[in-house]
Amino acid sequence: MQQVSTRKRIWGWWFFDWASQPYHTLLVTFVFGPFFAAVATDHFIAQGLAGEAAKAEAQTIWSLCLTVTGLMIGLGAPFMGALADISGRRRPWILAFSAMYVLGAAGLWFTDPGGGNLWWMLVSFGLGFIGAEFALIFVNAQLPSLAGRDDVGDVSGSGYAFGYLGGVLSLFIMLLLFVEQASGKTLIGLSPLFGLDPAAREGTRAVGPFTALWFALFMVPYFLWVREGRATGQRGTLGQAVALVVQSVKNLRHRVSLASYLGSSMLYRDALNGLYGFGGVYAKLVLGWQITLIGVFGIVAALAATVFCWLGGKADRRFGPKPVITVSILVLSLVCLTIVSMSRTQIYGIPLPEGSRLPDAVFFACGVLIGGFGGILQSASRSLMVRHTDPLKATESFGLYGLSGRATAFLAPALIGLATTVTGSARLGITPVIALFAAGLFLLFWVNGEGDQG
């Protein structure tokens, strides 16, 4: 078998970020999420709910989907990781979850604009989302083998930057050529490509198959250039995997830094996922933005993330990941406070003239910061986890990392859903995210910035 250079392996690994990012950019946040919120809102209004109550119900069922998928990801991640470490093989798992990604994304084409199959579309979205998140865990576990501890932050940051660039390009293509505005034309005045029917929202619904095709195409460099080490020849059982995970969890009592970090990242990544999952929905329900404007907002946020992630990787290499994570949490907390304190008529309690565009400008600025510092936070978190990872148990370790990020992934959506229901406001429903960021920052105090692997 031909030897693959380290540089090519790193580029292949980066291509996973490029291939997979559109699920988050196009489906979770900026196109399908807001589209689903609009369809669900209209559906509930048709069933007799008032406008605000229909919006709150739409946000609640979206949060339920993210809650259920988060639980499934969190509970399954460490055990699958342990099975992969026993056998020494990750590629079969990545292939299987890639297939789930493609099938789930492609299925969103069948969304009924009249809201007749809301629950089936949530199932399809959830299938693809679970595939995307599980595949990411196995790919993240390959990071320790690609670079030394001094370079891992730079490699991680550049990977996220490359991924966000892919997200930007995919969003550009969707907005310019597919997603229809109220006029039936795309952002540049064209009819949706391939004769897609704007009245049936086929241009917007095409985001599912487009995301699936993008992933399938750009995973080719990953599978060509990222090779696995030798398999162990063992076939792990579920019982062995459970025993390994249970032992790893028990060992956390002797690893204060790792235990604190898993707890901290669990909370602040919950908060970040809450922002990502509800940012576009907020723009649609609170500010009344059209999908195309939300898409432009997404482009701005993703471009910011591309630049910020690259710079964040450099900062990680110079200062280490912990200070980078701390600054990112503080900035994102301030952004959340601003979003919660803003509506069409006021900002921080200061009344605005009727028809003021200031809320739109402020939310665009918030989008830049969410995209930029959210990307940095994810990149630096991956880097800090490497510093707490035994290379021989990398997939299991990143499975625990996945568990910490997903075991309570239901928390942010559930709290947002609860706050939305109690207040009857999609705007105030975002409030719990601030508390999650604060709790994550508190636990970070006990984390050794250099890790516990020497």
Side-chain angles (χ1 to χ4, degrees), residues 30 63 76 87 89 123-124 134 145 163 179 197 267 275 287 307 318 325 329 347 391 394 424 449:
F30 296 116
S63 71
S87 67
R89 302 189 68 199
V123 170
S124 184
F134 273 142
S145 68
V179 177
D197 183 6
L267 295 168
L275 272 184
L287 300 181
V307 176
R318 180 169 182 181
I325 291 171
I329 292 175
I347 296 179

Side-chain angles (χ1 to χ4, degrees), residues 39 60 74 112 119 158 211 217 237 338 360 373 380 390 415 433 443 449:
V39 169
T60 298
D112 176 11
W119 292 105
S158 295
T211 301
L217 177 64
T237 65
T338 301
D360 301 307
F373 282 92
D390 178 353
L415 289 175
V433 171
L443 286 179

Side-chain angles (χ1 to χ4, degrees), residues 386-449:
V386 170
R387 287 167 164 78
H388 290 85
T389 296
D390 178 353
L392 297 178
K393 298 180 179 179
T395 317
E396 181 190 341
S397 296
F398 272 92
L400 286 175
Y401 180 67
L403 173 61
S404 76
R406 289 296 172 185
T408 58
F410 66 91
L411 196 56
L415 289 175
I416 290 172
L418 177 62
T420 302
T421 301
V422 170
T423 63
S425 167
R427 173 176 65 88
L428 296 178
I430 305 294
T431 305
V433 171
I434 301 172
L436 291 174
F437 273 130
L441 186 62
F442 175 75
L443 286 179
L444 196 64
F445 177 80
W446 286 277
V447 177
N448 181 350

Side-chain angles (χ1 to χ4, degrees), residues 39-353:
V39 169
T41 298
D42 291 343
H43 173 72
F44 291 126
I45 288 176
Q47 289 188 330
L49 289 180
E52 284 303 315
K55 291 178 181 179
E57 185 67 19
Q59 181 159 293
T60 298
I61 66 169
W62 182 246
S63 71
L64 177 63
C65 173
L66 295 179
T67 298
V68 172
T69 54
L71 279 171
M72 294 175 69
I73 293 163
L75 295 175
F79 303 106
M80 293 182 184
L83 283 171
D85 283 337
I86 292 170
S87 67
R89 302 189 68 199
R90 301 186 183 106
R91 179 168 291 212
W93 293 92
I94 295 171
L95 279 168
F97 293 127
S98 294
M100 289 176 60
Y101 180 117
V102 171
L103 288 173
L108 298 180
W109 165 257
F110 298 101
T111 302
D112 176 11
N117 61 352
L118 291 178
W119 292 105
W120 280 111
M121 289 306 96
L122 287 179
V123 170
S124 184
F125 171 85
L127 176 69
F129 189 57
I130 289 169
E133 290 293 305
F134 273 142
L136 177 63
I137 289 168
F138 286 85
V139 171
N140 278 345
Q142 296 169 328
L143 179 55
S145 68
L146 296 174
R149 61 185 291 117
D150 292 336
D151 297 321
V152 72
D154 203 359
V155 171
S156 179
S158 295
Y160 267 109
F162 190 52
Y164 277 115
L165 189 60
V168 169
L169 181 59
S170 65
L171 190 53
F172 258 122
I173 294 171
M174 281 301 304
L175 292 178
L176 299 184
L177 302 178
F178 291 95
V179 177
E180 62 280 298
Q181 302 182 88
S183 64
K185 302 294 184 180
T186 69
L187 193 61
I188 55 175
L190 299 176
S191 296
L193 212 60
F194 307 126
L196 297 173
D197 183 6
R201 303 303 303 273
E202 288 183 350
T204 300
R205 287 159 49 199
V207 70
F210 176 86
T211 301
L213 182 61
W214 179 283
F215 181 80
L217 177 64
F218 290 114
M219 278 297 283
V220 172
Y222 171 84
F223 284 117
L224 286 178
W225 296 339
V226 180
R227 304 280 174 78
E228 290 190 307
R230 290 185 178 275
T232 63
Q234 302 179 50
R235 293 189 63 182
T237 65
L238 181 59
Q240 289 175 307
V242 170
L244 284 174
V245 172
V246 169
Q247 188 58 48
S248 294
V249 172
K250 287 181 177 178
N251 289 341
L252 288 178
R253 68 180 184 272
H254 304 299
R255 301 180 66 182
V256 175
S257 179
L258 175 59
S260 300
Y261 177 57
L262 290 176
S264 172
S265 69
M266 174 180 69
L267 295 168
Y268 71 65
R269 284 192 291 157
D270 275 357
L272 183 60
N273 288 330
L275 272 184
Y276 285 159
F278 290 91
V281 172
Y282 174 96
K284 179 66 181 176
L285 299 183
V286 177
L287 300 181
W289 286 7
Q290 296 298 312
I291 300 296
T292 46
L293 181 57
I294 295 172
V296 173
F297 169 77
I299 289 173
V300 172
L303 281 173
T306 301
V307 176
F308 278 58
C309 279
W310 183 78
L311 293 174
K314 305 301 179 187
D316 185 316
R317 185 173 188 174
R318 180 169 182 181
F319 303 109
K322 184 177 177 179
V324 174
I325 291 171
T326 301
V327 170
S328 298
I329 292 175
L330 291 172
V331 172
L332 290 168
S333 298
L334 179 61
V335 167
C336 290
L337 184 61
T338 301
I339 290 174
V340 168
S341 304
M342 178 178 70
S343 70
R344 270 280 167 221
T345 59
Q346 58 83 34
I347 296 179
Y348 283 107
I350 302 173
L352 297 173

